Amino acid sequence: MLILSIDTSAIASAALLRTVPASDGVKASAAVVGSFATVDTRSHAEVLVPGIQSLFGDAAVEGPALDAIVVGVGPGPFTGLRSGIAAARMLSFVWNVPLHGVMSLDALAWDVSHNGYRAQDQDQDPTTGPPPPDRNPAGGDFLVATDARRKEVYWARYSQDGTLLAVPHVGPAAELPALPAFGAGAGLYREDLLARGCTVPDAFADAQPTAASLGLSAAVGLVDGGRLLASSPLYLRESDAKVPGPRKRAL
């Protein structure tokens, strides 16, 4: 199964992933074939489509050969999030490929629970080395947070294996539960979180959701026939734009 993954909830990113179904007692897995990501959080519309196009440079990998497209549905800012979802919907329609939504914070949760982190941020016996890659550095429930601007964060709580425990929220960092917090939102408001009783590992203090991790978090479920979300954006805030009211009479 070949999957195109797109996320613009923070940075603009895209990835191609190939899945391997379970067989002979070996669990289903997925690998990233190619990926693209920016560091700019404000240039999604300009860079996303060229970035996606760069993934299909190999003539043997064509759009119509895709089995699925997954897109991060947020939470995230209105303009950036719309860029990714609109591109995913357009490609799904043109290529006639099924489209699935994934909550963007799940990408960070996947990184925390599956990729581990460099262990310089916690006390450890130097003879044992860092924790294995599949060990969640939080050791239990944890939070992921991205920058929501307006001095707030988008955040959600996950169990040790990366399972979402509750719907995502938006609010001040000072109101988060006292748990380990990962992601650029946590790094941005480190002092508020530390005062709250959270820990903020340096290795994840700048981490943003990426399409590669988003695709990996969704791939195994797709292989097993699981259901993902629709592609409706998850904004969590009301739009600042308002529909104008009726014009006032001059007389």
Side-chain angles (χ1 to χ4, degrees), residues 182-233:
F182 300 82
L188 185 62
Y189 298 103
R190 179 192 297 271
E191 297 304 319
D192 290 339
L193 291 172
L194 293 178
R196 183 71 174 171
C198 301
T199 56
V200 183
D202 286 341
F204 276 83
D206 297 319
Q208 301 279 21
T210 64
S213 296
L214 188 87
L216 289 170
S217 71
V220 173
L222 286 174
V223 171
D224 294 338
R227 293 179 62 110
L228 299 179
L229 302 174
S231 63
S232 301

Side-chain angles (χ1 to χ4, degrees), residues 24 101 138 141 160 204 207 217 233 250:
D24 298 328
D141 289 2
Q160 182 172 359
F204 276 83
S217 71

Side-chain angles (χ1 to χ4, degrees), residues 98-155:
L99 175 62
H100 308 273
V102 181
M103 191 174 77
S104 300
L105 297 178
D106 288 354
L108 278 172
W110 173 273
D111 286 336
V112 173
S113 60
H114 289 79
N115 291 342
Y117 79 120
R118 297 185 185 278
Q120 69 268 25
D121 296 313
Q122 64 180 24
D123 294 334
Q124 68 169 40
D125 182 346
T127 64
T128 63
D134 60 350
R135 176 180 169 186
N136 165 17
D141 289 2
F142 63 95
L143 311 174
V144 297
T146 58
D147 181 17
R149 301 169 187 167
R150 304 182 189 176
K151 299 183 179 180
E152 293 183 329
V153 294
Y154 297 117
W155 66 276

Side-chain angles (χ1 to χ4, degrees), residues 9-218:
S9 63
I11 61 174
S13 60
L16 274 176
L17 303 97
R18 192 176 298 278
T19 64
V20 178
S23 62
D24 298 328
V26 179
K27 294 182 179 180
S29 61
V32 177
V33 177
S35 63
F36 152 82
T38 69
V39 294
D40 188 355
T41 60
R42 298 178 183 272
S43 62
H44 304 77
E46 295 86 350
V47 302
L48 180 61
V49 172
I52 294 173
Q53 186 177 11
S54 71
L55 299 177
F56 295 93
D58 186 343
V61 184
E62 299 177 354
L66 290 171
D67 296 287
I69 298 173
V70 297
V71 62
V73 297
F78 282 78
T79 303
L81 204 53
R82 281 198 300 267
S83 298
I85 293 175
R89 288 176 175 176
M90 180 270 291
L91 294 174
S92 172
F93 176 78
V94 172
W95 290 339
N96 193 27
V97 176
L99 175 62
H100 308 273
V102 181
M103 191 174 77
S104 300
L105 297 178
D106 288 354
L108 278 172
W110 173 273
D111 286 336
V112 173
S113 60
H114 289 79
N115 291 342
Y117 79 120
R118 297 185 185 278
Q120 69 268 25
D121 296 313
Q122 64 180 24
D123 294 334
Q124 68 169 40
D125 182 346
T127 64
T128 63
D134 60 350
R135 176 180 169 186
N136 165 17
D141 289 2
F142 63 95
L143 311 174
V144 297
T146 58
D147 181 17
R149 301 169 187 167
R150 304 182 189 176
K151 299 183 179 180
E152 293 183 329
V153 294
Y154 297 117
W155 66 276
R157 180 171 179 165
Y158 292 83
S159 65
Q160 182 172 359
D161 64 358
T163 300
L164 179 67
L165 296 178
V167 297
H169 307 271
V170 60
E175 296 180 359
L176 271 61
L179 291 169
F182 300 82
L188 185 62
Y189 298 103
R190 179 192 297 271
E191 297 304 319
D192 290 339
L193 291 172
L194 293 178
R196 183 71 174 171
C198 301
T199 56
V200 183
D202 286 341
F204 276 83
D206 297 319
Q208 301 279 21
T210 64
S213 296
L214 188 87
L216 289 170
S217 71

